[in-house]
Amino acid sequence: MLLNCDIGESYGAWHMGLDEEVMPLIDCANIACGYHAGDPVTMGRTVALAARHGVRIGAHPAYPDLVGFGRRSMACSGEEIESLLHYQIGALQAFCALHGTRVEYVKPHGALYNDMMVNPTLLASVLKAVAAYKVPLVLLATADNSAQQALASEQGVTLWFESFADRAYEGTGQLVSRRLPGAVHEQADTIVAQALALARGEPLTARDGSTLQLHTDTLCVHGDNPASVAAVRRIREALRAQRA
């Protein structure tokens, strides 16, 4: 079970996240590429930090929506989607080359991540772009990912299915909307328990009370405040104890 975290989200005078605290605890760093967060200086520093800790680097591209933090859908053509991914992945790859490392996977951010899960045409454009780099694409693990797997197989792209320790789920495996109460787990005990259940391959209980089974390759954790960093540390320690 690989732990991944969205990271490198500071921009100019605005500092976001606790990157130095969380980096030693994770396996994969999803580094913002400047369209929803991050800037050139932040990208360079974050790549260097990940390289120093031996953490895998992933591109975290988004719609060009800096004001909305990439959480607003945009009407983009297939050509635009491919180009905006190449632009962002290429920028991150340049910084990786400077530090003797490389982009090892791609995980779209925010609205782009959500939109590609429900729009096969959009997903096909994302897959076409990612295929050029011969790296895996991270997408949401749901109750049935067969449609996404079929599209990825056509493009020759490996998929990493991602689950969340701190989010509530619908019966389909979609995340409960942040607009609804209880969408985000706040208690560390709950977050750690869900992380361990996912690591063991155990079913979760969805919002409607149904049983939800997810195949998980990588677990997303958040480290944007001291409480969340403490939860990540507990998850890391619990996973190590589970392997022992």
Side-chain angles (χ1 to χ4, degrees), residues 9 11 14 16 34-38 62-74 109 111:
E9 295 177 333
Y11 182 81
W14 288 269
M16 296 182 66
Y35 267 23
H36 76 283
Y63 288 125
D65 177 29
L66 195 57
V67 172
F69 199 66
R71 289 179 174 165
R72 300 181 294 189
S73 295
M74 301 183 71
H109 166 81

Side-chain angles (χ1 to χ4, degrees), residues 122-176:
L122 175 58
L123 177 59
S125 296
V126 171
L127 286 164
K128 186 176 179 182
V130 172
Y133 303 91
K134 296 179 169 47
V135 297
L137 173 69
V138 176
L139 51 68
L140 182 67
T142 66
D144 181 9
N145 286 113
S146 57
Q148 292 89 7
Q149 186 63 70
L151 283 173
S153 296
E154 290 177 8
Q155 296 283 355
V157 175
T158 298
L159 297 180
W160 285 356
F161 295 106
E162 175 184 50
S163 298
F164 291 78
D166 61 352
R167 294 295 303 274
Y169 281 87
E170 301 288 359
T172 59
Q174 298 292 329
L175 299 175
V176 172

